[in-house]
Amino acid sequence: MAKAMLSLLVHLHAALLFVPEPAGAGAVYSVVRYGARGDGASDSTRPFLRAWADACRSPRPATVYVPPGRYLLGRATFVGPCSSRAVAFSIAGTVVAPAGYAWDGATAGQWITFESVVGLTVSGGTLDGRGDALWACKKQQPRGHCPTGASSLTISNARNVVVEGVRSVSSELFHVVVLQSRGVTVRRVTVEAPADSPNTDGIHIHKSTNVAVYDAAIRTGDDCVSVGPGNSNLWIERVACGPGHGISIGSLGKQQGMAVEAVQNVTVKTTWFTGTTNGLRIKTWGSSKRGYVRGVTFSDSTMAGVGNPIIIDQHYCPDGGCGGGARQQSSGIKISEVEYDGVRGSSATPVAVSFDCSRSNPCSGIRLRDVRLTYQGKSGRLQAAGAVSSCRNAQGTASGLVVPPSCL
Ligand SMILES: *[C@@H]1O[C@H](CO)[C@@H](O)[C@H](O)[C@H]1NC(C)=O
């Protein structure tokens, strides 16, 4: 496993050294020609937006090019649809967010957004969200007056988009967000933020369909990949996660505004978790909000010192934030047809497999196959104080070698 992970990292490193080639991609619009300065201090927001406007108007394929250097960029929304269906945003340098959190992106929730574009490639470069000041605020006043913060890169209401070779560091909020989009591929993306940075999900997918994530290396303070409500047909393959909170479907059941919260047809394949609080997780709040999670396959996963390697938590309530006995409510989200195939490694807690499902909507069709998880080097029943499984309102089957022994 170490070897596979190493080769992934070498692969990613090579991707980072690769400087996007702006030539050959039709007309090239360098932001420098519009007055952007790579000095890390001059505000380049207007030049970036003007370069985009011209590229987007071009009837031919067009590329916005950001040369090497550090470009200070305020909140920027690059809006389509464009004249051609082949617009590229090619970054060789580093784009930095405004310092502190007293800027409009931090209250709007978004820093760099591509909106309503059809046929887009965003490649290369580093996005530095400079989240430190906001994280410090949130840690000092958890229920206080800090703004939400800005997600660094959002693909919104878009179709046929590729995000590749992008490195996101220190996002104030989520690093990469795919929102209400179809046909999005995110590949060779790296994410870096401290383990204790709040709400810094690596890749968040929301109300989208046909989204694929390949070859991501994510070290962050929240979920490495989070799958929100309204998603279907997702493929997530070769993700190295840690530190972080794991790969999560949910949380569901809290969002306002959607009548039914559903997630359907998700494949999560070949993943490595190192020192994460969770591994493969499905979480719903203990609320009566209706919905379902159906058709999820987790296969080929390696855990090293993971808090909850396999977990379904239908009484999700972080920081005791529910109050008023909400934790006791039975979740209205039905979870079914979830398979775990080939999960091995070590748990950092005795309960390596936990299915804590809804009383009114029990989990069904849970399948465990070839699972081997240890705790303190031991694996369940045969050896005292090894890893164990815990089931509540969960139905399903186990096949192959399953340790700790299944409680389904
Ligand atoms: C499930 O999603 C995958 C993409 O991840 C897609 O290829 C497949 O056709 C989907 N299956 C169904 C039944 O829609």
Side-chain angles (χ1 to χ4, degrees), residues 231-279:
N231 286 304
S232 60
N233 301 0
L234 310 187
W235 191 278
I236 297 163
E237 183 168 2
R238 294 187 303 274
V239 175
C241 172
H245 294 182
I247 294 181
S248 295
I249 294 176
S251 53
L252 303 182
K254 198 193 185 199
Q255 225 78 28
Q256 305 299 309
M258 286 173 86
V260 172
E261 295 192 357
V263 173
Q264 184 155 240
N265 186 18
V266 178
T267 301
V268 178
K269 187 177 175 185
T270 311
T271 47
W272 301 272
F273 298 89
T274 308
T276 51
T277 53
N278 307 283

mmCIF file of all heavy atoms in Angstrom, residues 231-279:
data_model
loop_
_atom_site.group_PDB
_atom_site.id
_atom_site.type_symbol
_atom_site.label_atom_id
_atom_site.label_comp_id
_atom_site.label_asym_id
_atom_site.label_seq_id
_atom_site.Cartn_x
_atom_site.Cartn_y
_atom_site.Cartn_z
ATOM 1 N N ASN A 231 -27.050 14.391 -5.070
ATOM 2 C CA ASN A 231 -26.006 13.913 -5.971
ATOM 3 C C ASN A 231 -26.331 12.519 -6.497
ATOM 4 O O ASN A 231 -26.847 11.668 -5.769
ATOM 5 C CB ASN A 231 -24.666 13.822 -5.238
ATOM 6 C CG ASN A 231 -24.048 15.190 -4.992
ATOM 7 O OD1 ASN A 231 -23.832 15.961 -5.926
ATOM 8 N ND2 ASN A 231 -23.780 15.500 -3.732
ATOM 9 N N SER A 232 -25.972 12.274 -7.758
ATOM 10 C CA SER A 232 -26.065 10.922 -8.294
ATOM 11 C C SER A 232 -24.945 10.672 -9.291
ATOM 12 O O SER A 232 -24.375 11.616 -9.859
ATOM 13 C CB SER A 232 -27.422 10.696 -8.953
ATOM 14 O OG SER A 232 -27.605 11.608 -10.011
ATOM 15 N N ASN A 233 -24.622 9.385 -9.472
ATOM 16 C CA ASN A 233 -23.602 8.961 -10.439
ATOM 17 C C ASN A 233 -22.237 9.606 -10.174
ATOM 18 O O ASN A 233 -21.691 10.316 -11.021
ATOM 19 C CB ASN A 233 -24.051 9.255 -11.878
ATOM 20 C CG ASN A 233 -25.348 8.555 -12.234
ATOM 21 O OD1 ASN A 233 -25.925 7.845 -11.404
ATOM 22 N ND2 ASN A 233 -25.814 8.751 -13.439
ATOM 23 N N LEU A 234 -21.694 9.345 -9.011
ATOM 24 C CA LEU A 234 -20.371 9.868 -8.664
ATOM 25 C C LEU A 234 -19.348 8.737 -8.700
ATOM 26 O O LEU A 234 -19.643 7.614 -8.292
ATOM 27 C CB LEU A 234 -20.369 10.485 -7.259
ATOM 28 C CG LEU A 234 -21.465 11.494 -6.918
ATOM 29 C CD1 LEU A 234 -21.183 12.116 -5.545
ATOM 30 C CD2 LEU A 234 -21.564 12.591 -7.966
ATOM 31 N N TRP A 235 -18.158 9.050 -9.154
ATOM 32 C CA TRP A 235 -17.059 8.086 -9.186
ATOM 33 C C TRP A 235 -15.851 8.738 -8.528
ATOM 34 O O TRP A 235 -15.383 9.775 -8.992
ATOM 35 C CB TRP A 235 -16.739 7.706 -10.636
ATOM 36 C CG TRP A 235 -15.815 6.538 -10.714
ATOM 37 C CD1 TRP A 235 -14.455 6.556 -10.589
ATOM 38 C CD2 TRP A 235 -16.186 5.171 -10.921
ATOM 39 N NE1 TRP A 235 -13.962 5.290 -10.687
ATOM 40 C CE2 TRP A 235 -14.991 4.414 -10.906
ATOM 41 C CE3 TRP A 235 -17.407 4.517 -11.121
ATOM 42 C CZ2 TRP A 235 -14.981 3.032 -11.079
ATOM 43 C CZ3 TRP A 235 -17.395 3.148 -11.297
ATOM 44 C CH2 TRP A 235 -16.197 2.409 -11.284
ATOM 45 N N ILE A 236 -15.366 8.128 -7.455
ATOM 46 C CA ILE A 236 -14.249 8.710 -6.709
ATOM 47 C C ILE A 236 -13.169 7.644 -6.614
ATOM 48 O O ILE A 236 -13.389 6.582 -6.025
ATOM 49 C CB ILE A 236 -14.733 9.148 -5.306
ATOM 50 C CG1 ILE A 236 -15.784 10.250 -5.452
ATOM 51 C CG2 ILE A 236 -13.569 9.622 -4.435
ATOM 52 C CD1 ILE A 236 -16.622 10.482 -4.209
ATOM 53 N N GLU A 237 -12.017 7.875 -7.210
ATOM 54 C CA GLU A 237 -11.007 6.817 -7.297
ATOM 55 C C GLU A 237 -9.606 7.345 -7.051
ATOM 56 O O GLU A 237 -9.219 8.376 -7.586
ATOM 57 C CB GLU A 237 -11.086 6.170 -8.693
ATOM 58 C CG GLU A 237 -10.130 5.011 -8.840
ATOM 59 C CD GLU A 237 -10.394 4.168 -10.084
ATOM 60 O OE1 GLU A 237 -11.308 4.504 -10.858
ATOM 61 O OE2 GLU A 237 -9.657 3.182 -10.277
ATOM 62 N N ARG A 238 -8.864 6.609 -6.252
ATOM 63 C CA ARG A 238 -7.484 6.947 -5.876
ATOM 64 C C ARG A 238 -7.424 8.296 -5.171
ATOM 65 O O ARG A 238 -7.040 9.312 -5.743
ATOM 66 C CB ARG A 238 -6.556 6.908 -7.099
ATOM 67 C CG ARG A 238 -6.384 5.507 -7.685
ATOM 68 C CD ARG A 238 -5.336 5.467 -8.781
ATOM 69 N NE ARG A 238 -5.635 6.394 -9.865
ATOM 70 C CZ ARG A 238 -6.420 6.110 -10.916
ATOM 71 N NH1 ARG A 238 -6.968 4.905 -11.032
ATOM 72 N NH2 ARG A 238 -6.636 7.017 -11.839
ATOM 73 N N VAL A 239 -7.828 8.249 -3.915
ATOM 74 C CA VAL A 239 -7.756 9.437 -3.067
ATOM 75 C C VAL A 239 -6.928 9.087 -1.840
ATOM 76 O O VAL A 239 -7.200 8.089 -1.166
ATOM 77 C CB VAL A 239 -9.166 9.903 -2.625
ATOM 78 C CG1 VAL A 239 -9.059 11.076 -1.646
ATOM 79 C CG2 VAL A 239 -10.011 10.281 -3.832
ATOM 80 N N ALA A 240 -5.901 9.876 -1.572
ATOM 81 C CA ALA A 240 -5.128 9.739 -0.335
ATOM 82 C C ALA A 240 -5.618 10.829 0.613
ATOM 83 O O ALA A 240 -5.631 12.007 0.254
ATOM 84 C CB ALA A 240 -3.638 9.901 -0.623
ATOM 85 N N CYS A 241 -6.042 10.416 1.803
ATOM 86 C CA CYS A 241 -6.702 11.343 2.740
ATOM 87 C C CYS A 241 -6.010 11.285 4.101
ATOM 88 O O CYS A 241 -5.857 10.206 4.660
ATOM 89 C CB CYS A 241 -8.172 10.943 2.869
ATOM 90 S SG CYS A 241 -9.139 11.780 4.133
ATOM 91 N N GLY A 242 -5.612 12.404 4.612
ATOM 92 C CA GLY A 242 -5.083 12.465 5.968
ATOM 93 C C GLY A 242 -3.945 13.471 6.098
ATOM 94 O O GLY A 242 -3.077 13.477 5.233
ATOM 95 N N PRO A 243 -4.041 14.345 7.148
ATOM 96 C CA PRO A 243 -5.154 14.352 8.100
ATOM 97 C C PRO A 243 -6.459 14.799 7.448
ATOM 98 O O PRO A 243 -6.449 15.390 6.383
ATOM 99 C CB PRO A 243 -4.699 15.359 9.155
ATOM 100 C CG PRO A 243 -3.734 16.262 8.446
ATOM 101 C CD PRO A 243 -3.041 15.389 7.442
ATOM 102 N N GLY A 244 -7.559 14.484 8.133
ATOM 103 C CA GLY A 244 -8.863 14.875 7.618
ATOM 104 C C GLY A 244 -9.931 14.052 8.306
ATOM 105 O O GLY A 244 -9.630 13.229 9.174
ATOM 106 N N HIS A 245 -11.180 14.254 7.912
ATOM 107 C CA HIS A 245 -12.294 13.551 8.549
ATOM 108 C C HIS A 245 -12.817 12.400 7.693
ATOM 109 O O HIS A 245 -13.883 11.862 7.948
ATOM 110 C CB HIS A 245 -13.419 14.534 8.900
ATOM 111 C CG HIS A 245 -13.033 15.532 9.948
ATOM 112 N ND1 HIS A 245 -13.896 16.479 10.438
ATOM 113 C CD2 HIS A 245 -11.857 15.727 10.612
ATOM 114 C CE1 HIS A 245 -13.275 17.214 11.364
ATOM 115 N NE2 HIS A 245 -12.035 16.782 11.468
ATOM 116 N N GLY A 246 -12.082 12.066 6.623
ATOM 117 C CA GLY A 246 -12.461 10.928 5.808
ATOM 118 C C GLY A 246 -13.253 11.318 4.570
ATOM 119 O O GLY A 246 -13.335 12.489 4.201
ATOM 120 N N ILE A 247 -13.797 10.288 3.913
ATOM 121 C CA ILE A 247 -14.678 10.508 2.759
ATOM 122 C C ILE A 247 -16.099 10.299 3.266
ATOM 123 O O ILE A 247 -16.428 9.227 3.785
ATOM 124 C CB ILE A 247 -14.337 9.543 1.612
ATOM 125 C CG1 ILE A 247 -12.924 9.869 1.079
ATOM 126 C CG2 ILE A 247 -15.391 9.616 0.504
ATOM 127 C CD1 ILE A 247 -12.460 8.999 -0.067
ATOM 128 N N SER A 248 -16.924 11.324 3.137
ATOM 129 C CA SER A 248 -18.249 11.290 3.761
ATOM 130 C C SER A 248 -19.356 11.498 2.766
ATOM 131 O O SER A 248 -19.284 12.381 1.917
ATOM 132 C CB SER A 248 -18.367 12.402 4.813
ATOM 133 O OG SER A 248 -17.471 12.186 5.875
ATOM 134 N N ILE A 249 -20.384 10.679 2.910
ATOM 135 C CA ILE A 249 -21.651 10.973 2.243
ATOM 136 C C ILE A 249 -22.523 11.607 3.311
ATOM 137 O O ILE A 249 -22.758 11.019 4.362
ATOM 138 C CB ILE A 249 -22.274 9.692 1.666
ATOM 139 C CG1 ILE A 249 -21.370 9.180 0.535
ATOM 140 C CG2 ILE A 249 -23.696 9.971 1.161
ATOM 141 C CD1 ILE A 249 -21.808 7.873 -0.072
ATOM 142 N N GLY A 250 -22.937 12.823 3.078
ATOM 143 C CA GLY A 250 -23.643 13.610 4.069
ATOM 144 C C GLY A 250 -22.738 14.732 4.566
ATOM 145 O O GLY A 250 -21.681 14.948 4.000
ATOM 146 N N SER A 251 -23.139 15.455 5.528
ATOM 147 C CA SER A 251 -24.335 15.090 6.259
ATOM 148 C C SER A 251 -25.616 15.445 5.511
ATOM 149 O O SER A 251 -25.664 16.456 4.819
ATOM 150 C CB SER A 251 -24.348 15.767 7.627
ATOM 151 O OG SER A 251 -24.152 17.156 7.483
ATOM 152 N N LEU A 252 -26.595 14.563 5.690
ATOM 153 C CA LEU A 252 -27.912 14.806 5.124
ATOM 154 C C LEU A 252 -28.891 15.073 6.255
ATOM 155 O O LEU A 252 -28.635 14.739 7.402
ATOM 156 C CB LEU A 252 -28.378 13.577 4.325
ATOM 157 C CG LEU A 252 -27.480 13.103 3.180
ATOM 158 C CD1 LEU A 252 -28.125 11.925 2.471
ATOM 159 C CD2 LEU A 252 -27.204 14.213 2.193
ATOM 160 N N GLY A 253 -30.024 15.650 5.905
ATOM 161 C CA GLY A 253 -31.093 15.797 6.878
ATOM 162 C C GLY A 253 -31.060 17.087 7.651
ATOM 163 O O GLY A 253 -31.805 17.267 8.595
ATOM 164 N N LYS A 254 -30.191 18.025 7.260
ATOM 165 C CA LYS A 254 -30.179 19.283 7.983
ATOM 166 C C LYS A 254 -30.533 20.449 7.059
ATOM 167 O O LYS A 254 -31.182 21.403 7.452
ATOM 168 C CB LYS A 254 -28.802 19.527 8.593
ATOM 169 C CG LYS A 254 -28.887 20.571 9.693
ATOM 170 C CD LYS A 254 -27.564 21.087 10.141
ATOM 171 C CE LYS A 254 -27.771 22.033 11.319
ATOM 172 N NZ LYS A 254 -26.612 22.888 11.509
ATOM 173 N N GLN A 255 -30.088 20.317 5.828
ATOM 174 C CA GLN A 255 -30.275 21.363 4.825
ATOM 175 C C GLN A 255 -31.729 21.819 4.735
ATOM 176 O O GLN A 255 -32.642 21.005 4.758
ATOM 177 C CB GLN A 255 -29.887 20.800 3.459
ATOM 178 C CG GLN A 255 -29.031 21.712 2.652
ATOM 179 C CD GLN A 255 -27.606 21.687 3.123
ATOM 180 O OE1 GLN A 255 -27.156 20.697 3.660
ATOM 181 N NE2 GLN A 255 -26.900 22.780 2.952
ATOM 182 N N GLN A 256 -31.921 23.087 4.600
ATOM 183 C CA GLN A 256 -33.267 23.598 4.370
ATOM 184 C C GLN A 256 -33.495 23.653 2.862
ATOM 185 O O GLN A 256 -32.562 23.680 2.091
ATOM 186 C CB GLN A 256 -33.403 25.010 4.954
ATOM 187 C CG GLN A 256 -33.039 25.101 6.422
ATOM 188 C CD GLN A 256 -33.916 24.229 7.294
ATOM 189 O OE1 GLN A 256 -35.120 24.285 7.209
ATOM 190 N NE2 GLN A 256 -33.298 23.393 8.117
ATOM 191 N N GLY A 257 -34.727 23.627 2.462
ATOM 192 C CA GLY A 257 -35.029 23.956 1.064
ATOM 193 C C GLY A 257 -35.172 22.786 0.107
ATOM 194 O O GLY A 257 -35.750 22.932 -0.940
ATOM 195 N N MET A 258 -34.643 21.606 0.432
ATOM 196 C CA MET A 258 -34.850 20.479 -0.463
ATOM 197 C C MET A 258 -35.898 19.566 0.164
ATOM 198 O O MET A 258 -35.746 19.144 1.301
ATOM 199 C CB MET A 258 -33.551 19.683 -0.648
ATOM 200 C CG MET A 258 -32.535 20.380 -1.541
ATOM 201 S SD MET A 258 -30.954 19.513 -1.552
ATOM 202 C CE MET A 258 -31.257 18.313 -2.836
ATOM 203 N N ALA A 259 -36.929 19.250 -0.606
ATOM 204 C CA ALA A 259 -38.013 18.432 -0.069
ATOM 205 C C ALA A 259 -37.501 17.052 0.322
ATOM 206 O O ALA A 259 -37.777 16.561 1.404
ATOM 207 C CB ALA A 259 -39.132 18.318 -1.098
ATOM 208 N N VAL A 260 -36.742 16.442 -0.585
ATOM 209 C CA VAL A 260 -36.181 15.113 -0.333
ATOM 210 C C VAL A 260 -34.682 15.194 -0.575
ATOM 211 O O VAL A 260 -34.245 15.715 -1.603
ATOM 212 C CB VAL A 260 -36.819 14.063 -1.271
ATOM 213 C CG1 VAL A 260 -36.106 12.732 -1.158
ATOM 214 C CG2 VAL A 260 -38.303 13.902 -0.959
ATOM 215 N N GLU A 261 -33.913 14.694 0.362
ATOM 216 C CA GLU A 261 -32.464 14.712 0.199
ATOM 217 C C GLU A 261 -31.993 13.329 -0.221
ATOM 218 O O GLU A 261 -32.122 12.382 0.537
ATOM 219 C CB GLU A 261 -31.787 15.136 1.486
ATOM 220 C CG GLU A 261 -32.123 16.573 1.844
ATOM 221 C CD GLU A 261 -31.249 17.122 2.944
ATOM 222 O OE1 GLU A 261 -30.412 16.362 3.477
ATOM 223 O OE2 GLU A 261 -31.403 18.304 3.259
ATOM 224 N N ALA A 262 -31.469 13.232 -1.429
ATOM 225 C CA ALA A 262 -31.110 11.924 -1.952
ATOM 226 C C ALA A 262 -29.680 11.899 -2.466
ATOM 227 O O ALA A 262 -29.176 12.883 -2.997
ATOM 228 C CB ALA A 262 -32.065 11.551 -3.083
ATOM 229 N N VAL A 263 -29.057 10.726 -2.292
ATOM 230 C CA VAL A 263 -27.748 10.457 -2.884
ATOM 231 C C VAL A 263 -27.830 9.067 -3.481
ATOM 232 O O VAL A 263 -28.267 8.126 -2.815
ATOM 233 C CB VAL A 263 -26.621 10.515 -1.835
ATOM 234 C CG1 VAL A 263 -25.296 10.054 -2.433
ATOM 235 C CG2 VAL A 263 -26.479 11.920 -1.263
ATOM 236 N N GLN A 264 -27.468 8.919 -4.727
ATOM 237 C CA GLN A 264 -27.653 7.657 -5.421
ATOM 238 C C GLN A 264 -26.482 7.318 -6.333
ATOM 239 O O GLN A 264 -25.954 8.198 -7.006
ATOM 240 C CB GLN A 264 -28.932 7.765 -6.264
ATOM 241 C CG GLN A 264 -29.310 6.507 -6.973
ATOM 242 C CD GLN A 264 -30.812 6.484 -7.245
ATOM 243 O OE1 GLN A 264 -31.524 5.617 -6.799
ATOM 244 N NE2 GLN A 264 -31.302 7.447 -7.988
ATOM 245 N N ASN A 265 -26.088 6.028 -6.327
ATOM 246 C CA ASN A 265 -25.057 5.531 -7.245
ATOM 247 C C ASN A 265 -23.709 6.231 -7.063
ATOM 248 O O ASN A 265 -23.323 7.085 -7.849
ATOM 249 C CB ASN A 265 -25.550 5.656 -8.702
ATOM 250 C CG ASN A 265 -24.566 5.024 -9.683
ATOM 251 O OD1 ASN A 265 -23.716 4.227 -9.299
ATOM 252 N ND2 ASN A 265 -24.668 5.415 -10.947
ATOM 253 N N VAL A 266 -23.021 5.845 -6.015
ATOM 254 C CA VAL A 266 -21.708 6.419 -5.711
ATOM 255 C C VAL A 266 -20.686 5.289 -5.606
ATOM 256 O O VAL A 266 -20.905 4.309 -4.892
ATOM 257 C CB VAL A 266 -21.752 7.201 -4.382
ATOM 258 C CG1 VAL A 266 -20.367 7.765 -4.048
ATOM 259 C CG2 VAL A 266 -22.789 8.313 -4.429
ATOM 260 N N THR A 267 -19.586 5.422 -6.323
ATOM 261 C CA THR A 267 -18.489 4.456 -6.223
ATOM 262 C C THR A 267 -17.268 5.148 -5.640
ATOM 263 O O THR A 267 -16.870 6.211 -6.119
ATOM 264 C CB THR A 267 -18.137 3.893 -7.621
ATOM 265 O OG1 THR A 267 -19.293 3.261 -8.165
ATOM 266 C CG2 THR A 267 -16.994 2.896 -7.544
ATOM 267 N N VAL A 268 -16.718 4.539 -4.601
ATOM 268 C CA VAL A 268 -15.500 5.072 -3.982
ATOM 269 C C VAL A 268 -14.475 3.942 -4.008
ATOM 270 O O VAL A 268 -14.649 2.932 -3.326
ATOM 271 C CB VAL A 268 -15.758 5.534 -2.529
ATOM 272 C CG1 VAL A 268 -14.474 6.049 -1.889
ATOM 273 C CG2 VAL A 268 -16.857 6.601 -2.481
ATOM 274 N N LYS A 269 -13.439 4.101 -4.801
ATOM 275 C CA LYS A 269 -12.550 2.976 -5.087
ATOM 276 C C LYS A 269 -11.080 3.346 -4.870
ATOM 277 O O LYS A 269 -10.648 4.407 -5.317
ATOM 278 C CB LYS A 269 -12.774 2.612 -6.561
ATOM 279 C CG LYS A 269 -12.079 1.379 -7.013
ATOM 280 C CD LYS A 269 -12.427 1.091 -8.471
ATOM 281 C CE LYS A 269 -11.609 -0.089 -8.948
ATOM 282 N NZ LYS A 269 -11.813 -0.342 -10.358
ATOM 283 N N THR A 270 -10.359 2.481 -4.235
ATOM 284 C CA THR A 270 -8.915 2.653 -4.004
ATOM 285 C C THR A 270 -8.622 3.960 -3.269
ATOM 286 O O THR A 270 -8.350 4.999 -3.878
ATOM 287 C CB THR A 270 -8.104 2.554 -5.314
ATOM 288 O OG1 THR A 270 -8.517 1.376 -6.010
ATOM 289 C CG2 THR A 270 -6.625 2.470 -5.002
ATOM 290 N N THR A 271 -8.700 3.853 -1.960
ATOM 291 C CA THR A 271 -8.484 5.037 -1.132
ATOM 292 C C THR A 271 -7.519 4.688 -0.004
ATOM 293 O O THR A 271 -7.455 3.536 0.431
ATOM 294 C CB THR A 271 -9.822 5.505 -0.532
ATOM 295 O OG1 THR A 271 -10.513 4.371 0.020
ATOM 296 C CG2 THR A 271 -10.702 6.150 -1.582
ATOM 297 N N TRP A 272 -6.778 5.662 0.441
ATOM 298 C CA TRP A 272 -5.835 5.482 1.544
ATOM 299 C C TRP A 272 -6.149 6.524 2.600
ATOM 300 O O TRP A 272 -6.252 7.722 2.290
ATOM 301 C CB TRP A 272 -4.404 5.700 1.060
ATOM 302 C CG TRP A 272 -3.953 4.800 -0.030
ATOM 303 C CD1 TRP A 272 -3.374 3.573 0.090
ATOM 304 C CD2 TRP A 272 -4.021 5.053 -1.455
ATOM 305 N NE1 TRP A 272 -3.079 3.046 -1.151
ATOM 306 C CE2 TRP A 272 -3.459 3.931 -2.105
ATOM 307 C CE3 TRP A 272 -4.497 6.114 -2.239
ATOM 308 C CZ2 TRP A 272 -3.363 3.843 -3.495
ATOM 309 C CZ3 TRP A 272 -4.404 6.033 -3.607
ATOM 310 C CH2 TRP A 272 -3.848 4.906 -4.231
ATOM 311 N N PHE A 273 -6.303 6.063 3.833
ATOM 312 C CA PHE A 273 -6.580 6.989 4.936
ATOM 313 C C PHE A 273 -5.455 6.877 5.954
ATOM 314 O O PHE A 273 -5.132 5.780 6.407
ATOM 315 C CB PHE A 273 -7.913 6.643 5.604
ATOM 316 C CG PHE A 273 -9.090 6.767 4.680
ATOM 317 C CD1 PHE A 273 -9.502 5.689 3.906
ATOM 318 C CD2 PHE A 273 -9.781 7.966 4.561
ATOM 319 C CE1 PHE A 273 -10.581 5.801 3.034
ATOM 320 C CE2 PHE A 273 -10.860 8.086 3.691
ATOM 321 C CZ PHE A 273 -11.258 7.003 2.925
ATOM 322 N N THR A 274 -4.878 7.987 6.323
ATOM 323 C CA THR A 274 -3.778 7.972 7.275
ATOM 324 C C THR A 274 -4.089 8.916 8.434
ATOM 325 O O THR A 274 -4.153 10.138 8.248
ATOM 326 C CB THR A 274 -2.470 8.412 6.572
ATOM 327 O OG1 THR A 274 -2.298 7.619 5.394
ATOM 328 C CG2 THR A 274 -1.272 8.228 7.496
ATOM 329 N N GLY A 275 -4.333 8.331 9.601
ATOM 330 C CA GLY A 275 -4.559 9.141 10.804
ATOM 331 C C GLY A 275 -5.803 10.014 10.735
ATOM 332 O O GLY A 275 -5.883 11.034 11.416
ATOM 333 N N THR A 276 -6.784 9.602 9.954
ATOM 334 C CA THR A 276 -7.992 10.421 9.839
ATOM 335 C C THR A 276 -8.979 10.069 10.961
ATOM 336 O O THR A 276 -8.919 8.978 11.528
ATOM 337 C CB THR A 276 -8.672 10.195 8.471
ATOM 338 O OG1 THR A 276 -8.836 8.787 8.270
ATOM 339 C CG2 THR A 276 -7.815 10.751 7.350
ATOM 340 N N THR A 277 -9.903 10.981 11.256
ATOM 341 C CA THR A 277 -10.880 10.695 12.312
ATOM 342 C C THR A 277 -11.888 9.648 11.834
ATOM 343 O O THR A 277 -12.395 8.867 12.630
ATOM 344 C CB THR A 277 -11.627 11.973 12.747
ATOM 345 O OG1 THR A 277 -12.174 12.597 11.579
ATOM 346 C CG2 THR A 277 -10.690 12.962 13.432
ATOM 347 N N ASN A 278 -12.192 9.645 10.526
ATOM 348 C CA ASN A 278 -13.073 8.634 9.938
ATOM 349 C C ASN A 278 -12.456 8.132 8.637
ATOM 350 O O ASN A 278 -11.580 8.783 8.075
ATOM 351 C CB ASN A 278 -14.453 9.224 9.611
ATOM 352 C CG ASN A 278 -15.078 9.903 10.797
ATOM 353 O OD1 ASN A 278 -15.592 9.243 11.696
ATOM 354 N ND2 ASN A 278 -15.017 11.221 10.836
ATOM 355 N N GLY A 279 -12.966 7.001 8.169
ATOM 356 C CA GLY A 279 -12.576 6.505 6.858
ATOM 357 C C GLY A 279 -13.726 6.700 5.896
ATOM 358 O O GLY A 279 -13.921 7.767 5.329
#
